[in-house]
Amino acid sequence: MRFYVVNGSPRKNRNTAQLLTKSLEGINDTIKVELPDEKVKMKFFNLYKLKYTGCRSCFACKRINGKHYGHCNIKDDLKPILKGLESADGVVLGSPIYLSDVTGQMRSFYERFIFQYLVYDMEASSLASNRLPVGCIYTMNLTKQQYDESEVPMVLDLFEKGIERIYGKPYSLKVFDTYQFKDYSKYKNEIFNQEHKIKRREEHFPIDLQNAYDLGRSIALDAIERKLNCNI
């Protein structure tokens, strides 16, 4: 079984990446328990290390009887990842929230991940042959209260509705009030209190990591169920 993790953060080892890594642990541990004889391959991609663009609206994926119908035609670093996802057993996407949305790199990936399978018909059909389970992990500076009072829930709801149309409802984890800097005094940053951030990191981030692990378990169990159903 093959699982992908896609990191939409520019930082390879910080909050988002740590949560994604924990979700992989949840996937791997679950497969080992539920299907001990099954080989598991994990692929972790840092989008900021890749060279690619968002959708170019070439419509090759929509051309009737075209050789690229239902598949993105753009040849760049994202093409082999999208190809691999056509037969993957699950994927977890992770992104910090920048200006009330996922990062630009994640948004560009999302366009390519989704648009190739959209059908412009009255039934809102999908061309995706592999309706793999998808997880979404978001990290942000907002507290839960600030999040609830902001436009971000609407933005992320639209993001996930696009995924749901193609693959099914995604598993979702939102991580609030994250710790950004090792030394807040070095930055123009009066609206955040370092002592509060450190305390929050120490007390709540372990819970966030466990939640990411549990999200990975859910992805794995979903993938196992789909695999077994296909073998019936």
Side-chain angles (χ1 to χ4, degrees):
M1 299 182 76
R2 293 186 299 111
F3 295 89
Y4 284 42
V5 163
V6 181
N7 181 18
S9 169
R11 299 176 176 86
K12 296 188 296 181
N13 301 303
R14 296 298 294 276
N15 297 320
T16 306
Q18 290 174 35
L19 292 158
L20 288 171
T21 298
K22 205 67 180 177
S23 74
L24 274 183
E25 290 181 21
I27 292 172
N28 193 49
D29 290 351
T30 303
I31 300 294
K32 284 183 177 180
V33 171
E34 301 293 332
L35 297 176
D37 295 328
E38 186 75 28
K39 292 183 179 179
V40 181
K41 291 185 178 180
M42 308 283 190
K43 295 193 174 184
F44 194 114
F45 296 97
N46 290 297
L47 292 181
Y48 277 79
K49 288 290 185 180
L50 305 178
K51 294 181 179 180
Y52 66 98
T53 70
C55 176
R56 299 178 187 175
S57 193
C58 68
F59 274 76
C61 63
K62 305 283 182 282
R63 190 175 182 86
I64 299 172
N65 297 322
K67 65 178 182 178
H68 299 292
Y69 186 68
H71 302 279
C72 184
N73 182 42
I74 302 174
K75 296 177 177 63
D76 56 17
D77 288 354
L78 216 54
K79 190 173 183 66
I81 299 174
L82 296 175
K83 180 66 176 177
L85 286 168
E86 291 179 3
S87 58
D89 292 282
V91 61
V92 184
L93 314 179
S95 176
I97 298 302
Y98 291 173
L99 299 175
S100 301
D101 205 341
V102 296
T103 62
Q105 296 299 99
M106 177 55 73
R107 181 70 197 185
S108 292
F109 168 85
Y110 173 82
E111 290 175 0
R112 302 270 297 279
F113 185 47
I114 299 297
F115 187 68
Q116 60 185 339
Y117 298 130
L118 289 177
V119 181
Y120 285 176
D121 61 8
M122 301 304 294
E123 292 76 29
S125 303
S126 165
L127 295 174
S129 58
N130 182 22
R131 292 177 66 85
L132 77 170
V134 180
C136 297
I137 296 177
Y138 314 97
T139 60
M140 63 195 83
N141 269 317
L142 296 175
T143 65
K144 178 62 165 62
Q145 180 179 346
Q146 290 169 334
Y147 169 83
D148 289 339
E149 295 171 352
S150 74
E151 68 277 16
V152 181
M154 180 185 67
V155 173
L156 297 187
D157 183 58
L158 289 172
F159 183 86
E160 293 185 0
K161 282 187 181 302
I163 294 172
E164 183 175 3
R165 175 175 171 179
I166 303 300
Y167 300 101
K169 188 173 181 62
Y171 299 90
S172 184
L173 172 62
K174 300 169 182 69
V175 176
F176 305 103
D177 204 2
T178 52
Y179 183 72
Q180 284 183 289
F181 314 115
K182 291 182 178 179
D183 185 351
Y184 276 66
S185 67
K186 293 181 178 180
Y187 302 90
K188 187 69 173 176
N189 210 27
E190 291 95 343
I191 63 174
F192 299 115
N193 180 283
Q194 183 168 5
E195 290 183 2
H196 163 77
K197 288 287 189 178
I198 292 173
K199 184 178 181 181
R200 172 78 179 182
R201 172 80 178 189
E202 292 173 348
E203 294 180 354
H204 205 275
F205 197 65
I207 299 173
D208 297 326
L209 290 171
Q210 181 62 49
N211 289 337
Y213 181 91
D214 292 342
L215 180 145
R217 278 186 48 78
S218 297
I219 294 284
L221 291 171
D222 192 336
I224 290 169
E225 183 178 359
R226 297 179 193 220
K227 180 180 178 67
L228 295 177
N229 287 339
C230 287
N231 292 334
I232 293 175

